[in-house]
Amino acid sequence: MSTGIKDKVAIIGMGCTKFGERWDAGAEDLMVEAFEEAIADAGIEKNQIQAAWLSDCFEEIHIGKSALPLSLTLRLPNIPATRVENFCASGTEAFRGAVYAVASGACDIALALGVEKLKDIGYGGLPNSGSNSGSLNWLWMPNLTAPGAFAQLATAYAAKYKYSIDDLKRVLAHVSVKSHANGALNPKAHLRTPITEDQAISSPMVAHPLGLYDCCGVSDGAAAAIVTTPEIAKKLGKKDLVTVKALQLALSNGEEVQFNEWDSTYFVSTSKASVVAYKEAGIKDPRKEISMMELHDCFSITELITYEDLGISPRGGAPKDVLDGFFDLRGGGVPAQVDGGLKCFGHPIGASGLRMLYEMYLQLHGRADQRQLKDPKLGLTHNLGGFPFMNVVSIAIVGKEGV
Amino acid sequence: MVGIVSYGGYVPRRRLNRMSVIQEMGWYIPALMMVANGERSMCNWDEDSLTMAVASARDCISGFDKSKIDGIFLATTTPPFADRQNAGILATALNLREDIVTADFASSLKSGTTALISAVESLKSGEKKNVLVAASDHRRTKSASFYEMWFGDGSASLLLGNENVIAEYKGSFSLSLDFVDHYRGESQKFDYTWEERWIRDEGYAKIIPQAINGLFKKYGISIKDVAKVVYPCFISREHKGIAKKIGASKEQVVDNMHEVTGETGSAHPLLMLTAALEQSKPGDKIVVASFGQGSDALLFEVTEHITKLAPRRGVKGSLENRKEEASYAKFLKFNDLINAETGIRAEAATQTALTTLWRNKKMILGFVGGKCKKCGTLQYPKTNVCVNPKCNAFHTQEDYEFSDKEAKVMSFTGDYLAVSVEPPVLYGMVQFDGGGRTLLDFTDCDLENVQVGQTMKLSFRKKYYDKDRGFTGYFWKAILK
């Protein structure tokens, strides 16, 4: 009988680069920037790290294959290092590898580092892989982009819940306005300018009905976490531990895109992973118990629907919560995208999951400056990679030890 | 009795108003005004001679048992492949039996009628029972040329057989003359054409009457015995002139379709014949002649069965499914006649793994999915493990064709980021009425006309063009019903 990960692993150090169009930095520079902060925060020596996980997604446009780029860049002492890729869940996957290694007793201290250097391709948006996206996929999958794939949620959601596209766009605008307001308070965010609802609604169309401000930015960045057991953490003199409460992953099996039931207004995988994650963390009522969230707001509609998949809002109820300010930083509900989200950080894919954990870690330690929430206890991060109809979802819950 | 059993037509939905050419290029060649009446059909950017042939062939064989087709001939001067049998792609798209004869008839505008004669002869010998002939052309022309005005894009298909014949084949007469009014040399994109006056006087005006009169003489009939005469000539005035030369009245001559489609190349005699069949009654004799380094003239007699042929799109339905295109620039872009910016995003790899295509040819070209023998669930694509969560059986799926099934839109978008000849790219998820669903590109529709719940059907289209290797990739897209 599995006992879950709750309180078996503590995070003792984290680092995160400034995200943005880092014309000044290659992936190696970003890795070093995140690592230096994390190792200093942990207060350990590099040689104390016994295993490492590296995450990125589009390795072909920056670091290339294998975990060698991590080992070479940081000059790690010939320890095991593994590169993981699982679409947008990659960063959380690296974290999962490190956490499970420590929990299993295979090593005492492990590193997870995610990086993505997207802005070396010469054009906006994510890379277009063409026929390199899989030799069979190329022959039949629609000519789709990420915004177009997710925009379909909005047309289906509007049809199911009988919203006009204009009304739904106002709800989505509020999602983005809230994130921009938070990002404006964060010196590490890429986009730091607050926006208005009208700006969001009237922004140029990217994929109907999603406009520019419904889409997250495209950025470069890296983030890192150093983990160990609570016992070792205490021996190292750490206090007020932030521990891992749940770490779950769920993947589509093709039912959404091939079977006849899913209606394109929710994420099957998020709905399933959240239930398991809450059980692992011992959470009964997430709407009351979760203090804050960093959700995978690749697009505003993704965030809206995720509120429902996580059981924070009832089905069809997320728009009301959004308009009530339930997810705003000072809205009295469950603040979401506390650091500005993907909306303001952009989405250097391999780094995003760890960047989200970084904000939870800062908040739980009371180090989030202007964004600091009052006494947060549990933070939830969520990544969704792939497409609405076929995806990889990761959910991590971290919190104060003993909560 | 051997003859035509069914017909099918396809004319692309878009029609270029010829005045749009005058508006943009009339300053350059004012004489174009002489032929600027009406409109010409134009392929969408994802159509070519093969996709149009698939469309007309599907129309032609609708309601027929296609497992009985034992030969398929494709006539075109604009095949997407110089060496990869285009008729073979057509047969795969139609999901025909594998043990059939397929052949391309090419390199001449009379290839359509020659394919017809060959089909009839293979039936007469008794070797074949049902042969499908598809003719199609999408000819590129230089901007602001008379040929741009005269030509159109389209396809027609005829199913030939010996049961339930709607128009009996009575005979043919052929001429092979190396009269080079135009030619398209190897590796050339456009025709090189000689002076129109010579083509008119020494070509059309002599060769077509010679072929038709040769047919009459061979079978001992005269123009008076004939209800309709079909022959192409894009010079409308000369089209009428030929009628005089063969003694045909205005009522006997089938319109050259200049005002509604333009001349569709090797498909044109068959397209005009299809239009004639749509208006024929039992007992009508129809002569159809082609023009292209000689001529084939064929004689058919319409039978009682024509009244029993189930309604189909044909030419009439194709002409009714029409969207006027007023933008000449769009015509130029669709035909790759202007070098518009595509952005670095468009530079992605476009290679086709031929091994993958071969293994999945039914899935990709025939849109064949699976039906679980255990639980009955329909699914696309066909896979090793049933998608029904209550079944999930291994190795239980048999072939199931989705290409003729209707589907409802579940979700959609219009994507302005994706690389496209005509943004936004429309695509979405569709649910087939009998079960099964998939994501598909949408085509031939406008964003403002798409809604969740809307009924769609499928159309075989170009999916991508690999310009480095000259390979066109085909797949199915959803169009409005």
Side-chain angles (χ1 to χ4, degrees):
Chain A
M1 187 69 184
S2 67
T3 54
I5 199 71
K6 188 179 180 183
D7 288 336
K8 290 177 182 170
V9 176
I11 307 172
I12 57 167
M14 287 205 78
C16 182
T17 67
K18 160 84 179 162
F19 277 38
E21 291 169 321
R22 293 291 303 267
W23 312 120
D24 61 315
E28 295 76 10
D29 304 310
L30 296 167
M31 284 194 262
V32 168
E33 193 176 321
F35 179 74
E36 283 184 305
E37 184 185 347
I39 194 101
D41 182 38
I44 60 169
E45 296 298 318
K46 186 173 77 178
N47 289 349
Q48 291 176 263
I49 297 169
Q50 295 167 339
W53 275 260
L54 169 67
S55 57
D56 83 307
C57 187
F58 289 102
E59 90 285 351
E60 67 275 15
I61 60 159
H62 58 116
I63 58 171
K65 292 195 186 303
S66 91
L68 275 171
L70 178 70
S71 189
L72 297 170
T73 301
L74 301 182
R75 310 251 183 248
L76 294 176
N78 305 111
I79 58 170
T82 305
R83 175 178 163 267
V84 293
E85 184 277 307
N86 217 351
F87 276 163
C88 306
S90 299
T92 305
E93 276 287 23
F95 185 70
R96 203 165 74 109
V99 165
Y100 279 13
V102 167
S104 74
C107 65
D108 290 334
I109 298 177
L111 167 72
L113 189 148
V115 65
E116 203 85 39
K117 174 71 194 172
L118 290 174
K119 296 305 298 181
D120 275 348
I121 59 172
Y123 56 94
L126 291 174
N128 181 12
S129 300
S131 57
N132 292 331
S133 58
S135 69
L136 182 58
N137 292 337
W138 168 242
L139 300 183
W140 75 288
M141 288 300 281
N143 177 17
L144 55 74
T145 63
F150 285 83
Q152 292 177 65
L153 290 167
T155 50
Y157 191 94
K160 178 172 178 178
Y161 294 109
K162 303 196 170 16
Y163 283 93
S164 69
I165 290 294
D166 288 346
D167 286 347
L168 185 61
K169 275 190 73 97
R170 187 152 293 278
V171 173
L172 297 177
H174 192 103
V175 171
S176 297
V177 167
K178 168 265 302 161
S179 299
H180 270 268
N182 297 351
L185 304 176
N186 194 332
K188 288 191 172 177
H190 177 183
L191 306 172
R192 300 202 58 206
T193 312
I195 60 164
T196 65
E197 281 185 18
D198 287 339
Q199 271 179 304
I201 289 166
S202 59
S203 64
M205 195 63 81
V206 175
H208 173 84
L210 302 182
L212 184 65
Y213 283 119
D214 291 302
C215 307
C216 75
V218 178
S219 316
D220 305 320
I226 296 169
V227 296
T228 186
T229 63
E231 296 71 32
I232 297 170
K234 281 168 196 160
K235 278 185 202 156
L236 290 169
K238 300 289 173 188
K239 289 173 187 156
D240 303 323
L241 293 185
V242 172
T243 60
V244 180
K245 308 292 184 185
L247 210 42
Q248 288 300 327
L249 210 67
L251 277 76
S252 296
N253 61 16
E255 274 176 51
E256 298 99 305
V257 70
Q258 276 182 273
F259 196 48
N260 307 312
E261 290 181 353
W262 181 67
D263 67 2
S264 195
T265 65
Y266 64 101
F267 293 98
V268 170
S269 43
T270 308
S271 305
K272 294 199 169 169
S274 60
V275 172
V276 185
Y278 294 145
K279 192 176 172 211
E280 185 172 35
I283 292 171
K284 303 259 176 340
D285 184 351
R287 191 176 167 99
K288 292 213 173 77
E289 293 175 61
I290 302 281
S291 315
M292 56 193 172
M293 306 189 289
E294 287 291 337
L295 308 183
H296 198 84
D297 57 329
C298 49
F299 303 96
S300 54
I301 184 68
T302 319
E303 182 176 335
L304 183 82
I305 285 175
T306 301
Y307 294 144
E308 298 178 9
D309 294 332
L310 291 175
I312 306 289
S313 301
R315 289 282 172 214
K320 181 179 184 300
D321 279 342
V322 166
L323 295 176
D324 287 350
F326 186 79
F327 302 105
D328 294 356
L329 191 64
R330 311 286 175 212
V334 184
Q337 323 310 80
V338 189
D339 68 356
L342 297 177
K343 182 76 208 68
C344 294
F345 268 79
H347 184 24
I349 301 173
S352 286
L354 286 157
R355 178 224 94 216
M356 294 171 167
L357 286 165
Y358 177 76
E359 176 69 7
M360 300 292 96
Y361 177 81
L362 292 182
Q363 290 278 354
L364 290 164
H365 278 302
R367 286 158 48 185
D369 295 329
Q370 292 182 71
R371 306 179 308 284
Q372 185 61 49
L373 299 166
K374 187 166 173 281
D375 194 26
K377 292 186 172 62
L378 289 171
L380 180 148
T381 68
H382 157 266
N383 294 111
L384 184 128
F387 314 96
F389 50 86
M390 190 164 62
N391 52 64
V392 179
V393 159
S394 64
I395 292 175
I397 300 172
V398 295
K400 292 184 171 167
E401 192 185 22
V403 172
Chain B
M1 187 191 291
V2 165
I4 297 166
V5 171
S6 176
Y7 56 76
Y10 182 77
V11 177
R13 172 172 166 260
R14 297 213 203 204
R15 314 293 155 76
L16 179 70
N17 186 328
R18 290 193 178 93
M19 284 308 291
S20 68
V21 184
I22 300 299
Q23 267 167 24
E24 301 302 328
M25 299 304 288
W27 61 271
Y28 183 61
I29 311 223
L32 290 175
M33 192 62 199
M34 290 190 297
V35 291
N37 52 321
E39 56 193 22
R40 58 154 293 172
S41 54
M42 59 179 272
C43 278
N44 200 342
W45 64 269
D46 60 357
E47 294 184 295
D48 64 10
S49 57
L50 180 63
T51 66
M52 292 191 294
V54 171
S56 73
R58 291 176 73 206
D59 185 40
C60 179
I61 64 175
S62 65
F64 287 83
D65 179 0
K66 66 185 181 183
S67 71
K68 291 187 175 157
I69 294 172
D70 37 24
I72 184 161
F73 299 158
L74 172 61
T76 178
T77 71
T78 51
F81 291 92
D83 188 347
R84 174 193 176 188
Q85 198 183 53
N86 302 281
I89 309 173
L90 173 58
T92 313
L94 298 174
N95 197 27
L96 299 184
R97 284 184 359 243
E98 288 179 356
D99 58 332
I100 62 171
V101 165
T102 54
D104 287 342
F105 286 68
S107 311
S108 170
L109 297 181
K110 73 173 158 108
S111 58
T113 52
T114 310
L116 265 185
I117 293 171
S118 302
V120 163
E121 284 171 355
S122 69
L123 292 166
K124 283 187 140 185
S125 74
E127 280 293 312
K128 303 271 179 292
K129 299 266 187 300
N130 293 282
V131 176
L132 180 68
V133 172
S136 186
D137 252 327
H138 172 214
R139 291 176 293 169
R140 305 292 174 90
T141 47
K142 285 184 185 164
S143 174
S145 67
F146 274 86
Y147 291 87
E148 180 178 68
M149 301 295 255
W150 279 324
F151 289 2
D153 304 324
S155 175
S157 288
L158 296 168
L159 181 61
L160 297 131
N162 46 29
E163 283 177 20
N164 300 324
V165 168
I166 62 167
E168 184 185 3
Y169 173 77
K170 304 296 269 187
S172 67
F173 177 83
S174 292
L175 285 173
S176 180
L177 303 166
D178 189 29
F179 179 81
V180 192
D181 54 316
H182 75 278
Y183 64 90
R184 189 157 70 247
E186 189 188 9
S187 82
Q188 294 295 305
K189 198 170 169 185
F190 304 109
D191 291 354
Y192 187 80
T193 55
W194 213 247
E195 186 180 357
E196 285 90 14
R197 297 175 65 83
W198 175 70
I199 298 169
R200 183 192 64 193
D201 297 346
E202 288 295 302
Y204 281 103
K206 288 188 175 169
I207 294 173
I208 289 178
Q210 191 185 347
I212 292 176
N213 288 328
L215 179 79
F216 287 162
K217 194 176 167 199
K218 185 174 171 186
Y219 294 98
I221 56 167
S222 77
I223 189 71
K224 293 189 180 58
D225 301 313
V226 172
K228 290 189 173 70
V229 191
V230 168
Y231 56 87
C233 182
F234 48 72
I235 306 166
S236 292
R237 207 161 152 186
E238 189 54 31
H239 192 253
K240 295 186 182 77
I242 294 167
K244 269 190 200 148
K245 288 193 175 70
I246 59 171
S249 69
K250 200 177 156 192
E251 291 70 33
Q252 285 172 295
V253 176
V254 175
D255 177 44
N256 73 348
M257 299 175 71
H258 172 77
E259 296 203 8
V260 289
T261 62
E263 200 209 64
T264 61
S266 61
H268 212 54
L270 279 68
L271 195 72
M272 290 170 66
L273 172 60
T274 299
L277 286 169
E278 286 173 339
Q279 306 198 356
S280 292
K281 55 184 193 306
D284 283 355
K285 285 194 175 68
I286 303 176
V287 168
V288 54
S290 55
F291 180 79
Q293 296 86 54
S295 172
D296 300 310
L298 293 82
L299 178 63
F300 291 96
E301 183 172 337
V302 177
T303 77
E304 285 293 337
H305 274 290
I306 199 155
T307 58
K308 293 171 198 151
L309 184 69
R312 55 204 55 243
R313 182 178 58 218
V315 173
K316 190 167 177 286
S318 296
L319 293 178
E320 284 165 1
N321 179 27
R322 168 186 172 277
K323 184 196 178 192
E324 180 176 321
E325 184 55 73
S327 165
Y328 177 57
K330 213 171 250 192
F331 174 84
L332 294 176
K333 178 87 168 73
F334 284 16
N335 286 286
D336 203 19
L337 294 167
I338 46 173
N339 198 2
E341 176 62 85
T342 52
I344 301 177
R345 176 169 286 276
E347 293 173 13
T350 53
Q351 194 188 39
T352 304
L354 299 174
T355 39
T356 306
L357 178 60
W358 169 245
R359 284 194 302 274
N360 298 283
K361 60 187 178 299
K362 281 197 173 199
M363 169 194 167
I364 300 299
L365 297 175
F367 210 66
V368 174
K371 180 179 183 179
C372 178
K373 279 186 277 192
K374 202 171 161 205
C375 72
T377 298
L378 303 180
Q379 46 209 290
Y380 184 88
K382 179 181 163 184
T383 58
N384 289 318
V385 186
C386 177
V387 72
N388 178 357
K390 296 197 176 90
C391 177
N392 280 177
F394 279 60
H395 309 299
T396 54
Q397 290 173 55
E398 47 195 22
D399 283 358
Y400 184 86
E401 269 183 36
F402 281 96
S403 62
D404 58 346
K405 303 295 183 289
E406 289 180 356
K408 301 265 189 311
V409 174
M410 286 178 58
S411 63
F412 70 95
T413 188
D415 188 335
Y416 290 89
L417 177 62
V419 175
S420 172
V421 177
E422 191 191 22
V425 181
L426 301 185
Y427 52 86
M429 187 176 276
V430 299
Q431 170 76 38
F432 289 95
D433 291 348
R437 59 169 56 172
T438 191
L439 279 155
L440 287 174
D441 284 313
F442 296 174
T443 191
D444 274 3
C445 53
D446 306 306
L447 181 59
E448 53 272 24
N449 297 332
V450 183
Q451 287 174 348
V452 170
Q454 188 146 17
T455 303
M456 308 293 275
K457 56 186 185 176
L458 293 165
S459 182
F460 183 82
R461 296 295 172 114
K462 285 200 299 195
K463 174 135 179 63
Y464 59 90
Y465 180 65
D466 179 349
K467 63 181 185 311
D468 294 333
R469 304 170 188 85
F471 187 93
T472 306
Y474 296 94
F475 188 55
W476 296 77
K477 298 184 183 180
I479 58 174
L480 300 176
K481 191 197 166 191

